[in-house]
Amino acid sequence: MRTKIVAGNWKMNKAASEAAALIEGIKNATADAAGVEVVVCPPFTGLKDAAAACAGSHVKLGAQNVHWEPSGAYTGEISAGMLKDLGVTHVIIGHSERRQYFGETDETVNKRTKAALAAGLVPLVCVGETLGERDAGQMDEVVVRQIKLGLADLDIAKVVIAYEPVWAIGTGRTASPAQAQEAHALIRRTLAEMAGGDVANGVRIQYGGSMKPENAKELMGQPDIDGGLIGGAALTADSFAAIVMAGV
Ligand code: 13P
C-alpha cells in the first residue's frame, strides 16, 4: 500500500507574514488525516516562518524549486543544503510553469532531482502534456520522455511524481478520473521499465490540475493516483484540508 501524499503548491502567493496563519489552519483541519502525508510548499521567503509553524506537527514543508549546485556564483538561486538547513523536507521540481516561463528542461529537472536526493530531500517531480500535445495525440510520447530523461540515472524509489496536464492547471478543467488514471498507469509502466516492477509499485504518483474538494475523492480513488499537488485550492485551509481528508 502506498501512503497518499497531498501537497499544496502555493506558487507565488502568500507573503512570509501570511504563512503561519494558513499553516495553523491546515494543522487544525487535518489533525485527523491519519495515513495521508500532508505537505505545504510556500514561496522561498515564507519557508522560515512556515518551518516554525510546521515544527512538531504532522505537516511537512516543501520548497518550489532547488538549484543543482551546492553553492557558488548563481545569483538568485537556492541550494538543497540551504533548504535542508531551514527544515525543508520536500521540493517541487520541473513544474510546468517553470518549464513554460523559466527555461526548465528535462535535463535541468534531472540535475535538480539528483541534487535534492543527494541532500536527502524528497523531490516531487512534475510531468504533463500541454493541450496542443494532447490534441496532437502526443500525451504518451511527451510524458514518457519527461519521465525517462528527468529521472535518468537516479534512485527512482525515492522520488514522488506529479502528473499535471498543463491544460488542467488553473483552468477549472480537471482531467477526468479515467484520463488521469490512464496517464498514471502509463507513468507506472514506464517506471517499471526503468527500475523494475517492485520499485514502480512503490512510487507515489500525485495528480495535479484543478483538484478541488468536489473531485478529489474520485481522482484519488483511482488505482494509480496516490494523492494530489494542489494549486489554487491550497490557498485556504478549508479547501486544502477537505482535499486531504478526501484521501483518508
Ligand atoms: P491548480 O490546482 O490551481 O490547477 O494548480 C495545479 C498545480 O499547478 C499544482 O502544482
Side-chain angles (χ1 to χ4, degrees):
M1 264 303 279
R2 297 180 290 267
T3 304
K4 289 212 169 34
I5 175 167
V6 176
N9 175 9
W10 296 6
K11 308 192 179 184
M12 196 171 73
N13 296 290
K14 304 290 177 189
S17 56
E18 301 170 291
L22 178 51
I23 291 169
E24 285 306 326
I26 290 169
K27 276 182 353 191
N28 292 332
T30 60
D32 297 330
V36 180
E37 197 175 339
V38 182
V39 185
V40 291
C41 304
F44 288 131
T45 51
L47 289 175
K48 195 170 163 75
D49 292 280
C54 291
S57 83
H58 62 286
V59 178
K60 296 178 182 167
L61 184 59
Q64 297 176 18
N65 191 19
V66 62
H67 192 63
W68 52 84
E69 292 292 340
S71 62
Y74 301 99
T75 302
E77 295 298 313
I78 304 284
S79 74
M82 291 170 180
L83 297 177
K84 281 288 281 192
D85 182 58
L86 282 181
V88 170
T89 52
H90 294 64
V91 59
I92 297 167
I93 293 175
H95 191 279
S96 65
E97 286 147 19
R98 297 218 60 88
R99 294 178 191 258
Q100 184 177 357
Y101 305 127
F102 302 105
E104 189 82 74
T105 64
D106 295 323
E107 188 192 354
T108 55
V109 168
N110 186 248
K111 287 160 84 165
R112 292 183 210 282
T113 306
K114 285 177 175 161
L117 290 173
L121 296 169
V122 178
L124 312 179
V125 179
C126 303
V127 299
E129 80 288 358
T130 63
L131 185 58
E133 289 162 344
R134 173 163 283 261
D135 287 347
Q138 294 168 346
M139 183 277 276
D140 292 38
E141 181 189 328
V142 169
V143 169
V144 168
R145 187 203 75 223
Q146 290 173 339
I147 291 286
K148 286 197 169 161
L149 298 181
L151 303 184
D153 306 319
L154 53 78
D155 189 354
I156 287 173
K158 297 205 165 105
V159 170
V160 174
I161 294 166
Y163 170 64
E164 299 206 314
V166 179
W167 47 273
I169 296 178
T171 58
R173 192 178 151 186
T174 319
S176 70
Q179 284 173 319
Q181 167 57 27
E182 183 192 3
H184 283 232
L186 169 69
I187 291 168
R188 205 175 298 288
R189 285 198 303 277
T190 307
L191 297 176
E193 264 178 48
M194 295 170 74
D198 285 351
V199 168
N201 281 333
V203 171
R204 276 117 25 110
I205 308 175
Q206 300 171 298
Y207 169 79
S210 300
M211 203 187 223
K212 304 182 215 45
E214 302 81 60
N215 58 27
K217 202 168 186 70
E218 199 182 354
L219 283 161
M220 286 193 273
Q222 302 302 309
D224 287 295
I225 301 186
D226 308 309
L229 184 55
I230 320 303
L235 297 176
T236 58
D238 285 354
S239 57
F240 184 64
I243 295 171
V244 170
M245 298 313 287
V248 171

